[in-house]
Amino acid sequence: MNKIIAKTRLSDEVFRVEIEAPHIARERKPGQFVIVQADVEWGERVPLTIADADPHHGTITLIFQTVGVSTHRLAELEAGDSIEAVLGPLGNPTHIERFGHAVCIGGGIGVAPMYPIAQALKKAGNKLTVIMGARTKDLIILEDEMRAIADELIVVTDDGSWGRKALVTEPLKELCQAQHKPDIAVAIGPPVMMKFCAETTRPFGVKTPASLNTIMIDGTGMCGGCRVSVGGSTKFVCVDGPEFDAHLVDWDGMMLRLRAYKPLEDAAHKALHEGGACMLDTMAELARASAAKAGGSK
Amino acid sequence: MSGTSTAGLAEAARKVLAGLDGKQLANKDRMAIPAQDMPCQEPGIRAHNMDEVALGYTEAQARVEAARCLQCKNAPCVPGCPVSIDIPGFVGLVASGDYHGAAEVIRKTNLLPAICGRVCPQEKQCQAPCTLGKALKGVERAVQIGRLERYVADRERASGGTPIPHVAPPTGKRVAVIGAGPAGLTVAAEVRREGHEVVIFEAFQKPGGVMVYGIPEFRLPKAIVREEADKLERMGVRFELNTLIGRTIPLPALLQEDGFDAAFVGVGAGLPKFMDIPGENFVGVFSANEYLTRCNMMRAWDRERASTPIYPSKRVAVLGGGNVAMDSARMALRLGAEEVRVLYRRTREEMPARAEEVEHAMEEGIVFDFLSSPTEVLGNDKGVVTGLRVMSYRLGDPDESGRRSPVAIDGSEHEVHFDTVIVAVGNESNPLIAKTTPGLNVDRKSHVLVDASQKTSLDAVWAGGDIVLGAATVILAMGEGRRAAAAINEYLGKK
C-alpha cells in the first residue's frame, strides 16, 4: 500500500500525486517508471513515469492524464487514500553525461517524464534547451519548473493560445540548423511527435533518444506485451528500454500495436461516464463550488 | 476417461470396494483391480467455464486405487519423486482408510500436495517406474499416485485445512527469499520451521509465481495457492509484495544493509521466447505468458469485473507442444474462440505436454496440426494478424538424443487464416538478478550456477528452481528448494 501524501489537479485531465514509496524514492534514476495498480483484485496494471522523487521523505511524484478507466480510478483517489500496488523503479535509467548542448522535447503529458531527465542533464553540466508543446494552453504543465532549470525554454501550442503557434518540430529544426547544432535531443511525448522529432534530427545526425510508451502488463520482462522493433530486432520496452535510439525505432509498427485494445478501452471509458460511475466530473464541480464559496466570503 | 460419468465411476468403485472388503489380497488380486479413472466435467460443458476440469476421486475410488499398490519392498516409485515422498507408506494408509495418517506421511517431505497432485507430470516421475505399470505394460495403468496425493490433500483441506507446521523458537537469524513461486514457498516453509525469520520478496501483487500467472484456474484453482500462502503467513513468514529485487532493492543491499543472514533466489524462468519469424510483432500475436497473465493473474476472463482487456479472438493458432501451449489453447476456447488449432513441428508422441492435458484438450475440441510450423505471420495494412504461412514436416532419423527431428517438406508451404497467434515455444531465465548483482555467476543463458547444495558463487546466497534449471516443473523447483533450505538451515545453525 502506498499512501497519497498530496494531490493536485494540473489541468482538466492531468493530475499530480505525491505518494509514499521509500524504496523507489531511494533507488530511482531519471528515465525510470513504475507500474501502478489502484485495485489488486480487479484493477489493471498501468505504467507511469516517475516525475520526481524525494529520497529524504521517501516519496515519489507521478503525473498522469485521465485517458481511460484505470487512470480515472486513480484520479478519484485523494490525499490520505492509498494506491494498493506500486512496483518500481522499472526500466533502464537514462544515460546522463556531459554531452554539451542538450535539447529536451516534451509533448503533452510527456513533459512530466521529461522533467527529471532535463534536471539530470542540467546537473551534469549541459547547456539545456527545453521545447515543450501541447495542443492548447490548458494542457501546458510544469512550465515554471522547466523554466527554473532550463537555459532556454521554448513553449509552443498547436492553436497558438500560449507561447509560439507551432509544432515542437519547428523550433527543433531551427536548433539543428544553427551554427552549433545540439549534441543530443531527447524526445518524450505521443509516438507521432517522437516519430517526427526523429525525422527532424535524422538529416542533421543529432543523436536522439526517445522514451517509448507501449502497452505493458507486468513491466518486468516476462510477457513481451511491450515489444517493439528497434533496428530490425525485437526489444522489450520494459527491460531493454524505455529509451531507444529514435532513428532506429519502427514507429509505425509501435503505433499500430498501441491501438490493439482501442475499441475495448473506448467502450469501457464511455460506459464509465454514461453509467454515472465517473466521480471526476462531480469532484470538479464540488471543487469549483467550494472555490466560488470561498471567494464569495472574502 | 470420457464416456463414463462421475456417478458411474463412483458406483463401480463402491462395488469393487465391497468385493475387496476383509479379503487378504495377493499380488495377483491387486493386479486384477481396475485402475480408477478421474471424474471430470463433461467436455461440452467445461469448455465454456473456468471451473476445475478434474473433479477428484470419490472416497471409494481412492481406496480401490490405493488397493492396487503392490507395496514393493524396493519402492521404485520413491526415487521417481523429486521430493522422495514415502509413496507406498501413504498409499497403504489410504487403502486402509487412514487419510489423516496418509497426509502426515506426505507432509514430511511435501508441503504442497494439493498442488503437486494436480500439476506434476507423474507419468514421467513417480508413476513411470511403478512395478504395477510395468507388469500391466503401460504407464497409464500404474498406480495413480498423483490422484491419490490430491485426494488426501483435498480431503484434509475440506475437513478444516492442514495443520500449521510446528515452528521452532526464534533463532534471531533472518532469511530473504526472492520470488514467491514453488521454489521460494518451499524454502520459506522449510527455513521458517527451524525458527529463522523469513521475508519473501515478490514482484507481483500476489504470491504463487507460475501457479498464479501461468497455470489456469481450470487446472489449479487459485484458492488452493492462496491457502498455501496463508499457511506460510500463519507460520510467521512475511510477504513483501510489489518488490522487484534488483530494482526496488538490490540483492547485495538485503545482505549488507537490511540485516539478512542468507538469501535464496527463486525468480524463475519468466522470459518468453519468440519464433523469430517475420510478422511476429503484428497486433494479435501474443506470448503465451502475456495471454495467460492477462487471463489468470489479471483475471481478464471475467469481463464484468476485471479492468484488464483480452483480445477478442475467433480463430486462434497456438504454436508449441508443451503444457503452456495446452493451457493457452484451452483458455482461448473458454474465452469464446470458435476454432483453436495447436501447431506442433513433431507428432503427438514427442509432445512435452502431459498426456492427460493433451487428451483433455482434444476432448474439448482443440484441433492439432502435427508436423507443421509457421514460417511467417501474415498481417493486413493495419498491422493486424490475418493468418500464418505454414510449412509441413516429416520425421527424419533419430538424432543423438534419440528424438526423431522434423524435416521440412519442400514446397509444402501454405497459408491458413487466423486472427490470433499465441506463441508458446518456451521461456528463458530472467536476467535481471544477474544483471544487477555483481559477483553472481551465471551461464550464457543467464541460469544461475550452483553447487550440489544449491549454493551460488556469492556468500550466503543460494538459488533454485527455473532460474537454475531453465523452464522445468513445479515439483523440480520444490525439490531444489528443499535442498537449498537444508543447506541454509545448516549454514545458519553453524553461524
Side-chain angles (χ1 to χ4, degrees):
Chain A
M1 292 288 244
N2 301 73
K3 194 170 160 190
I4 300 175
I5 305 299
K7 176 187 169 189
T8 341
R9 193 167 191 162
L10 299 184
S11 77
D12 263 10
E13 293 180 356
V14 179
F15 294 80
R16 168 175 23 206
V17 289
E18 189 184 348
I19 59 174
E20 266 178 13
H23 288 301
I24 304 174
R26 190 178 67 187
E27 291 297 323
R28 78 96 205 193
K29 292 178 185 68
Q32 289 187 303
F33 64 95
V34 288
I35 293 269
V36 169
Q37 206 183 353
D39 156 23
V40 294
E41 281 308 318
W42 300 102
E44 196 178 9
R45 296 165 66 93
V46 258
L48 296 174
T49 311
I50 305 166
D52 208 348
D54 181 345
H56 183 67
H57 291 102
T59 61
I60 59 169
T61 300
L62 306 176
I63 296 178
F64 60 92
Q65 188 171 6
T66 50
V67 290
V69 172
S70 295
T71 40
H72 246 99
R73 291 286 179 224
L74 205 57
E76 285 169 6
L77 299 174
E78 293 291 358
D81 291 342
S82 287
I83 300 176
E84 290 192 0
V86 180
L87 172 68
L90 301 173
N92 292 316
T94 300
H95 174 72
I96 302 286
E97 63 168 63
R98 186 168 179 169
F99 297 100
H101 181 197
V103 179
C104 290
I105 311 110
I109 191 74
V111 173
M114 178 59 79
Y115 179 63
I117 296 168
Q119 248 182 336
L121 284 167
K122 177 67 192 167
K123 206 174 150 197
N126 290 288
K127 178 190 171 202
L128 177 67
T129 300
V130 173
I131 304 172
M132 47 188 280
R135 281 200 317 274
T136 182
K137 184 185 175 188
D138 292 342
L139 299 173
I140 293 284
I141 55 168
L142 301 182
E143 185 178 346
D144 294 342
E145 286 85 345
M146 284 295 194
R147 194 175 301 284
I149 59 168
D151 296 294
E152 181 189 14
L153 179 74
I154 303 165
V155 181
V156 299
T157 48
D158 294 6
D159 63 359
S161 53
W162 190 247
R164 183 173 156 186
K165 183 178 188 307
L167 297 172
V168 290
T169 45
E170 289 174 41
L172 177 61
K173 189 171 182 188
E174 289 157 17
L175 289 168
C176 290
Q177 286 166 332
Q179 199 179 1
H180 297 287
K181 65 180 185 194
D183 298 289
I184 188 165
V186 188
I188 309 184
V192 67
M193 179 211 100
M194 294 192 279
K195 173 185 171 174
F196 283 105
C197 285
E199 293 317 318
T200 305
T201 57
R202 192 193 303 272
F204 300 97
V206 173
K207 184 182 161 71
T208 307
S211 183
L212 307 194
N213 43 6
T214 50
I215 288 173
M216 285 188 193
I217 301 102
D218 63 287
T220 65
M222 61 154 284
C223 84
C226 64
R227 69 193 188 276
V228 63
S229 176
V230 181
S233 63
T234 293
K235 300 284 180 191
F236 289 5
V237 171
C238 69
V239 289
D240 299 318
E243 259 181 38
F244 295 96
D245 182 342
H247 297 148
L248 299 179
V249 171
D250 170 13
W251 292 105
D252 294 336
M254 175 183 152
M255 286 189 266
L256 289 172
R257 285 186 62 80
L258 270 169
R259 285 199 281 273
Y261 296 95
K262 199 79 175 70
L264 291 170
E265 285 165 355
D266 288 348
H269 199 182
K270 195 162 165 247
L272 185 74
H273 281 273
E274 286 178 355
C278 171
M279 295 299 295
L280 287 179
D281 301 337
T282 325
M283 284 158 67
E285 262 170 47
L286 287 173
R288 270 195 293 276
S290 80
K293 204 172 158 195
S297 68
K298 264 180 197 166
Chain B
M1 157 173 329
S2 59
T4 316
S5 71
T6 300
L9 290 170
E11 180 54 31
R14 272 197 299 275
K15 281 188 188 146
V16 177
L17 189 62
L20 298 177
D21 204 25
K23 273 191 198 153
Q24 280 293 347
L25 297 174
N27 277 358
K28 180 168 62 75
D29 303 322
R30 294 186 189 278
M31 285 174 65
I33 300 173
Q36 297 298 299
D37 282 340
M38 180 61 112
C40 287
Q41 278 196 72
E42 289 299 322
I45 295 169
R46 73 189 191 224
H48 305 289
N49 68 46
M50 288 295 288
D51 300 339
E52 196 172 13
V53 167
L55 301 170
Y57 276 163
T58 62
E59 181 176 4
Q61 277 194 293
R63 290 194 58 184
V64 169
E65 185 62 34
R68 298 178 66 230
C69 173
L70 304 176
Q71 295 288 318
C72 312
K73 289 280 174 289
N74 62 340
C77 48
V78 177
C81 169
V83 295
S84 309
I85 294 176
D86 173 7
I87 292 163
F90 99 78
V91 173
L93 289 167
V94 173
S96 66
D98 180 1
Y99 311 111
H100 176 73
E104 288 288 322
V105 170
I106 295 172
R107 196 156 32 242
K108 279 186 205 153
T109 54
N110 187 350
L111 290 160
L112 310 172
I115 292 169
C116 294
R118 286 173 165 80
V119 303
C120 276
Q122 290 97 0
E123 70 272 20
K124 289 176 189 151
Q125 295 176 336
C126 56
Q127 289 168 201
C130 171
T131 311
L132 189 67
K134 299 239 186 264
L136 296 174
K137 298 187 170 43
V139 70
E140 71 282 0
R141 289 189 280 275
V143 176
Q144 298 299 303
I145 300 164
R147 294 173 184 174
L148 291 172
E149 182 185 25
R150 169 183 163 156
Y151 177 78
V152 169
D154 284 0
R155 193 181 165 105
E156 194 171 49
R157 286 173 53 238
S159 65
T162 49
I164 301 306
H166 173 76
V167 173
T171 60
K173 307 273 170 51
R174 304 179 72 214
V175 178
V177 171
I178 303 159
L185 295 183
T186 303
V187 171
E190 299 285 336
V191 169
R192 178 66 193 137
R193 285 216 262 213
E194 297 300 308
H196 307 306
E197 190 184 326
V198 176
V199 181
I200 303 183
F201 296 94
E202 166 58 45
F204 287 147
Q205 70 271 24
K206 287 175 188 174
V210 73
M211 300 184 289
V212 165
Y213 73 73
I215 305 174
E217 186 78 19
F218 56 81
R219 275 216 295 140
L220 176 62
K222 300 307 147 220
I224 295 177
V225 182
R226 184 67 248 171
E227 278 172 34
E228 295 305 334
D230 287 348
K231 195 162 76 185
L232 285 176
E233 279 196 318
R234 283 187 289 152
M235 284 172 74
V237 171
R238 200 153 59 79
F239 284 95
E240 287 278 352
L241 302 174
N242 304 300
T243 306
L244 181 63
I245 299 301
R247 287 280 190 223
T248 313
I249 307 171
L251 172 56
L254 289 176
L255 296 162
Q256 287 149 25
E257 293 163 35
D258 298 341
F260 286 98
D261 299 287
F264 172 79
V265 178
V267 297
L271 226 63
K273 282 191 217 167
F274 283 90
M275 300 275 292
D276 209 15
I277 55 175
E280 238 173 345
N281 292 343
F282 282 137
V283 170
V285 183
F286 302 90
S287 73
N289 278 10
E290 176 182 353
Y291 197 77
L292 291 172
T293 298
R294 284 178 182 273
C295 297
N296 297 328
M297 191 170 75
M298 308 310 295
R299 296 195 272 182
W301 54 270
D302 190 328
R303 310 270 172 84
E304 292 296 308
R305 286 186 286 180
S307 309
T308 303
I310 189 79
Y311 199 70
S313 307
K314 290 293 167 220
R315 284 183 57 89
V316 180
V318 177
L319 313 180
N323 287 320
V324 178
M326 297 305 103
D327 287 346
S328 306
R330 297 171 71 196
M331 182 63 87
L333 193 71
R334 281 160 174 75
L335 288 171
E338 286 158 11
E339 183 166 331
V340 182
R341 306 185 82 92
V342 172
L343 274 66
Y344 183 55
R345 239 152 45 101
R346 296 182 161 94
T347 69
R348 185 173 180 184
E349 283 64 50
E350 289 83 23
M351 279 180 81
R354 292 189 64 194
E356 185 182 333
E357 304 308 333
V358 179
E359 196 171 325
H360 281 165
M362 287 179 167
E363 286 169 0
E364 288 165 13
I366 308 283
V367 182
F368 286 76
D369 292 340
F370 293 112
L371 294 166
S372 56
S373 182
T375 54
E376 187 182 349
V377 182
L378 307 169
N380 62 18
D381 57 354
K382 294 189 177 67
V384 176
V385 171
T386 55
L388 290 173
R389 192 184 307 282
V390 179
M391 174 85 88
S392 300
Y393 290 75
R394 63 178 173 80
L395 282 186
D397 296 329
D399 59 14
E400 309 86 66
S401 70
R403 264 210 322 186
R404 297 179 65 189
S405 9
V407 180
I409 299 170
D410 285 339
S412 66
E413 274 185 303
H414 54 286
E415 290 182 7
V416 189
H417 164 65
F418 290 108
D419 58 34
T420 304
V421 175
I422 303 175
V423 185
V425 295
N427 282 320
E428 289 170 340
S429 290
N430 191 324
L432 183 70
I433 281 275
K435 206 167 93 178
T436 58
T437 311
L440 183 69
N441 288 350
V442 296
D443 69 10
R444 61 186 173 81
K445 288 181 164 173
S446 288
H447 298 154
V448 174
L449 297 169
V450 295
D451 68 12
S453 75
Q454 306 293 135
K455 174 81 171 43
T456 69
S457 55
L458 286 176
D459 279 346
V461 179
W462 283 259
D466 284 359
I467 187 67
V468 169
L469 298 166
T473 62
V474 167
I475 188 73
L476 281 175
M478 290 174 52
E480 297 227 313
R482 282 181 60 81
R483 254 202 312 282
I488 293 169
N489 286 333
E490 192 193 336
Y491 168 80
L492 293 178
K494 286 185 193 152
K495 202 182 166 189

